[in-house]
Amino acid sequence: MANSPSGETVTERIVRVLETFDTDRTVQTASEIGRRAHLPSSTAHRVVAELVSCGLLERDEEHRVRLGMRLWELALRGSRALRLRQAALPFMERVQARIREHTQLAVLENGETLFVERLSHPQAGANITRIAGRLPLHASSAGLVLLAHGPRELQEQVLTGPLDAVSPETETDPARLRRVLASVRRDGVVVAPGTVESVSTGVAVPVREGRGPVVAALSVVLPRDAPTRPAVDELRAAATGISAALEAQRP
Amino acid sequence: MANSPSGETVTERIVRVLETFDTDRTVQTASEIGRRAHLPSSTAHRVVAELVSCGLLERDEEHRVRLGMRLWELALRGSRALRLRQAALPFMERVQARIREHTQLAVLENGETLFVERLSHPQAGANITRIAGRLPLHASSAGLVLLAHGPRELQEQVLTGPLDAVSPETETDPARLRRVLASVRRDGVVVAPGTVESVSTGVAVPVREGRGPVVAALSVVLPRDAPTRPAVDELRAAATGISAALEAQRP
């Protein structure tokens, strides 16, 4: 429907426009959007004007645009992410209160780790992940949990594809990564020192929907040499609680 | 661009499709979406197929569709709502830990109160608001704060328009409402018993960006006859903290 001369649909162009926004770039001009989305300037201005008129984008006093609250509202109110984080939040708060480090909830999304919630203690250490941010599956404790419990084809695809290092200690050897995934399935936990950043250790456990499939990974980011046992215990207790909460609120 | 025979743009149709999803209706068939969006079935199927191919919607095993994680990600990562809640969350957690009732953050959005964050104590009382849910401005403590500090024209529009009651005690008299708004500006707080539900009392304070304009309202929902003083003190302290945090993270 409504394809452009390039064969791209209007929907695809809208997505390309929305993709130009991120945490570090929340306000842009239509021309900047056009450049970043590789759209002709006139097309960018037209798409932006339409998105503004529907409230998906908003203009500020200087005629620059930002993501609209209406977009946020539409994306959130019926979403799986909201349902998941509502079930998880009370348990995440308890983990964070006791461990006092970053506590995160992540899901598998299109072959990557997508972080849907993060609580950060004011005194917590370094952490590069962000809400609505992504990391490759093999490159964080949460991702290793999601990959270990993900579809078999996805595992093979990751194991045979290029395994880029996010830090010098990211596991990039397919044979060793395969053994890590097996141990995650066996032990129900992964402790991954230095995988994302050399100063920290990620600890993650799977979160199931009731007794069903793994739907998320719950993780904490500890300083590199902190004891991991208290975190493992807290994460396991929290994951059990979230599973029960998800089961209880099943539609 | 790409208008339908009805003169509606593709963007408008996409919004109408997304609008059919909400907290109680997270999974639908394309035909159900068409009925609810008042779109011809063939149009609904085509729009849904395009949104699925871009990841904004996802299909489940039974070919029903739900909002996609990709939509959530695009809407969130560059959004004002995320920035606001990240600044507010640590302070909201403290309010909630001490008051042990629903703690909420709301913004003014297109003439209504839009709730962007809510923490709920497991033992907290009744509360009809939801994250990404809306209420009329005159009908909740948070809305009264946003209206009192909103644009003058908006105030006049609300005061001269129909003032619908959400509960039997919602203030619907324009003269009395005008006095409430003046007192909110004078006192920097509103205590609104029974405005949303007769069993509860809303307490709300304004949240400024640094020393600039009011950008949000922070509120708690107490049982009707609970003392309000501790909540007022906690909310004021939290609002001051959030203002400073917003100022510090200004782009």
Side-chain angles (χ1 to χ4, degrees):
Chain A
M1 108 190 158
N3 285 24
S4 70
S6 64
E8 194 180 43
T9 65
V10 176
T11 315
E12 284 163 347
R13 284 199 300 243
I14 290 173
V15 169
R16 271 167 66 186
V17 165
L18 297 179
E19 280 174 341
T20 64
F21 291 86
D22 64 27
T23 326
D24 302 318
R25 202 156 58 204
T26 57
V27 182
Q28 308 178 83
T29 65
S31 305
E32 287 166 347
I33 291 172
R35 267 199 307 282
R36 286 173 187 137
H38 305 289
L39 289 172
S41 177
S42 59
T43 308
H45 278 82
R46 208 169 51 228
V47 175
V48 165
E50 255 195 44
L51 290 170
V52 168
S53 90
C54 293
L56 301 190
L57 294 179
E58 295 170 359
R59 278 195 216 279
D60 69 10
E61 318 75 50
E62 292 147 59
H63 215 66
R64 297 173 308 176
V65 288
R66 57 186 181 190
L67 296 181
M69 278 285 178
R70 181 88 184 111
L71 173 64
W72 177 88
E73 179 186 11
L74 288 173
L76 217 74
R77 64 179 187 182
S79 81
R80 203 155 46 100
L82 180 61
R83 181 173 161 262
L84 193 54
R85 69 81 83 173
Q86 290 295 83
L89 199 56
F91 300 98
M92 293 180 69
E93 285 172 4
R94 200 158 69 184
V95 172
Q96 206 220 358
R98 299 202 181 157
I99 305 298
R100 303 170 81 85
E101 297 290 346
H102 306 283
T103 306
Q104 307 177 135
L105 188 70
V107 298
L108 178 64
E109 156 59 19
N110 200 20
E112 291 185 293
T113 312
L114 177 65
F115 291 89
V116 296
E117 186 54 278
R118 168 181 160 180
L119 299 179
S120 296
H121 195 270
Q123 273 83 50
N127 185 356
I128 64 169
T129 64
R130 290 173 168 161
I131 295 175
R134 288 172 180 252
L135 277 177
L137 283 172
H138 66 289
S140 74
S141 59
L144 290 168
V145 163
L146 296 170
L147 183 57
H149 293 280
R152 179 62 85 174
E153 319 83 77
L154 178 65
Q155 290 174 20
E156 292 310 317
Q157 188 187 319
V158 170
L159 286 163
T160 55
L163 290 164
D164 294 331
V166 169
S167 88
E169 291 171 274
T170 307
E171 185 58 77
T172 57
D173 177 80
R176 280 200 299 265
L177 184 55
R178 200 179 286 276
R179 285 196 294 275
V180 169
L181 298 179
S183 77
V184 174
R185 284 187 294 266
R186 187 187 63 227
D187 304 336
V189 65
V190 63
V191 175
T195 301
V196 178
E197 290 185 289
S198 51
V199 295
S200 59
T201 294
V203 181
V205 302
V207 176
R208 292 177 186 277
E209 169 132 9
R211 292 166 184 207
V214 171
V215 292
L218 183 67
S219 64
V220 292
V221 183
L222 303 175
R224 177 66 182 249
D225 298 318
T228 56
R229 191 56 203 249
V232 172
D233 292 345
E234 287 296 333
L235 288 173
R236 282 191 164 138
T240 304
I242 299 169
S243 291
L246 283 171
E247 177 78 2
Q249 64 165 228
R250 186 129 62 166
Chain B
M1 105 190 161
N3 285 24
S4 71
S6 65
E8 195 179 43
T9 65
V10 175
T11 315
E12 284 163 346
R13 284 199 300 243
I14 290 173
V15 169
R16 271 167 66 185
V17 164
L18 297 179
E19 280 174 341
T20 64
F21 291 85
D22 64 28
T23 326
D24 302 318
R25 202 158 55 206
T26 58
V27 181
Q28 308 179 82
T29 64
S31 305
E32 286 166 347
I33 291 171
R35 267 199 308 282
R36 286 172 187 139
H38 305 289
L39 289 173
S41 177
S42 59
T43 308
H45 278 82
R46 207 168 53 228
V47 175
V48 165
E50 256 196 42
L51 290 169
V52 168
S53 89
C54 293
L56 302 188
L57 295 179
E58 294 170 359
R59 277 195 216 281
D60 69 9
E61 318 75 49
E62 292 147 59
H63 216 67
R64 298 173 308 174
V65 289
R66 59 186 180 188
L67 296 181
M69 277 286 177
R70 181 91 184 109
L71 173 63
W72 177 88
E73 179 187 11
L74 287 174
L76 219 73
R77 65 180 185 180
S79 81
R80 203 155 44 100
L82 179 61
R83 181 172 162 264
L84 193 55
R85 69 81 83 174
Q86 289 296 82
L89 199 56
F91 300 98
M92 293 180 69
E93 284 171 5
R94 199 159 69 184
V95 172
Q96 205 219 1
R98 300 204 181 157
I99 304 298
R100 304 170 80 84
E101 297 290 346
H102 307 284
T103 306
Q104 307 177 135
L105 187 71
V107 298
L108 178 64
E109 156 58 20
N110 200 21
E112 292 185 293
T113 312
L114 178 64
F115 291 89
V116 295
E117 186 53 278
R118 169 181 160 180
L119 299 179
S120 296
H121 194 270
Q123 272 84 51
N127 185 357
I128 64 169
T129 65
R130 290 172 167 164
I131 294 175
R134 288 173 180 251
L135 277 177
L137 283 172
H138 67 288
S140 73
S141 60
L144 290 168
V145 163
L146 296 170
L147 183 56
H149 293 279
R152 180 61 84 173
E153 319 84 77
L154 178 64
Q155 290 173 19
E156 292 310 315
Q157 189 186 319
V158 170
L159 286 162
T160 55
L163 291 164
D164 294 332
V166 169
S167 88
E169 290 170 275
T170 307
E171 184 59 76
T172 57
D173 178 79
R176 280 200 299 263
L177 183 56
R178 199 180 285 276
R179 285 195 294 274
V180 170
L181 298 179
S183 77
V184 173
R185 284 188 294 267
R186 187 187 63 228
D187 304 336
V189 65
V190 63
V191 175
T195 301
V196 178
E197 290 185 290
S198 52
V199 295
S200 60
T201 294
V203 182
V205 302
V207 177
R208 292 177 185 277
E209 169 133 8
R211 292 165 183 208
V214 171
V215 292
L218 183 67
S219 64
V220 291
V221 182
L222 303 175
R224 177 65 181 249
D225 298 317
T228 56
R229 190 57 202 250
V232 172
D233 292 345
E234 287 296 334
L235 287 174
R236 282 190 165 138
T240 304
I242 299 169
S243 291
L246 283 172
E247 177 79 2
Q249 66 165 228
R250 186 128 63 165

